[in-house]
Amino acid sequence: MFVLAIDTALAACSAAVLDTETDSIVAGDSLLMERGHAETLIPLVEQVMAAAGLDFEHLARIAVTIGPGSFTGLRVGLSAARGFGLTSNRPVVGVTTLAALAAPYLAQDDAVPVVTAIDARHGHVFLQMFGVGARTLIAPRVTSVREAARSVAIGAVRLVGSGAALVAEAWPPAEQPPLLVDETVAPDVAWVARLGAVADPEAAEPRPLYLRSPDAKPQDKARVARR
């Protein structure tokens, strides 16, 4: 079957089509960007689908990253994926950025824990830790960098994500240092597709995983009086 994957949650705008029978990417592209996902995504998806030689009716499902990540980026990707799913009558499944970043390392060797740490700003990271067999050891959460380092320093581990170096810098000096520190800023969309292909549509709903409230908040004071 063919799976269209979309990622706009972090510092990239990405789309790809996976052929699950051959486990190969038929077509895909990824553009690093902090802003501009809304203007870029639809043309990018059209380009990828054209390169794959497919229409939406050929897809079995659509996978989209649900966060944690940029509030604006998440809404762009989720809105587009839901729209594509609605018009093509195809299921849409959500994949977390934390799982997608960890997936290639777990596929390579799932005997060594993988910690995903995404920079959440203000001295915090979005964190998840995966153990043997990709079992969740620490559930998705937002936590201080220092607390993150303290909680995952339990032996040989690998760190991945935009907050990986931050956690490594706060590593307890008495503990074994990380085996790997990969500062990848966005997941490989191919792994978003692979995780989406095996996800249960009933459990992996395309709903945003924010983990915290937005930094930008409406002003409650000094409101202009309505007439």
Side-chain angles (χ1 to χ4, degrees):
M1 68 178 183
F2 295 106
V3 176
L4 170 65
I6 294 170
D7 169 46
T8 59
L10 296 170
C13 184
S14 307
V17 175
L18 172 73
D19 182 347
T20 61
E21 291 188 7
T22 60
D23 189 35
S24 61
I25 296 297
V26 180
D29 199 0
S30 183
L31 305 173
L32 291 178
M33 59 176 60
E34 294 288 345
R35 297 177 178 83
H37 298 83
E39 296 79 12
T40 305
L41 180 59
I42 301 302
L44 182 66
V45 170
E46 292 175 344
Q47 169 194 321
V48 167
M49 291 294 288
L54 299 172
D55 294 322
F56 281 93
E57 64 186 22
H58 298 127
L59 299 174
R61 62 175 55 177
I62 299 164
V64 60
T65 46
I66 61 172
S70 159
F71 284 82
T72 301
L74 286 176
R75 288 194 292 270
V76 169
L78 283 165
S79 296
R82 289 168 176 167
F84 292 142
L86 183 63
T87 56
S88 62
N89 194 29
R90 294 294 183 268
V92 180
V93 296
V95 175
T96 72
T97 50
L98 296 163
L101 282 163
Y105 287 110
L106 292 169
Q108 182 184 51
D109 179 6
D110 68 356
V112 180
V114 176
V115 175
T116 304
I118 299 171
D119 187 1
R121 310 292 175 86
H122 312 301
H124 287 71
V125 291
F126 299 119
L127 185 79
Q128 186 170 5
M129 186 173 189
F130 302 87
V132 175
R135 181 170 57 92
T136 294
L137 299 180
I138 297 178
R141 64 189 60 186
V142 60
T143 184
S144 71
V145 170
R146 186 174 297 277
E147 177 60 25
R150 189 192 66 79
S151 62
V152 302
I154 59 172
V157 299
R158 294 166 289 176
L159 302 179
V160 61
S162 60
L166 297 174
V167 175
E169 290 172 5
W171 207 257
E175 302 295 337
Q176 177 181 346
L179 298 178
L180 172 91
V181 179
D182 177 358
E183 296 181 79
T184 298
V185 297
D188 183 344
V189 70
W191 283 100
V192 176
R194 292 187 178 104
L195 293 177
V198 298
D200 178 0
E202 296 297 324
E205 295 184 85
R207 293 183 178 180
L209 177 66
Y210 290 135
L211 295 183
R212 72 174 186 188
S213 58
D215 291 332
K217 295 180 174 62
Q219 294 183 358
D220 293 325
K221 298 179 180 179
R223 287 181 176 175
V224 177
R226 294 182 179 179
R227 295 181 178 179

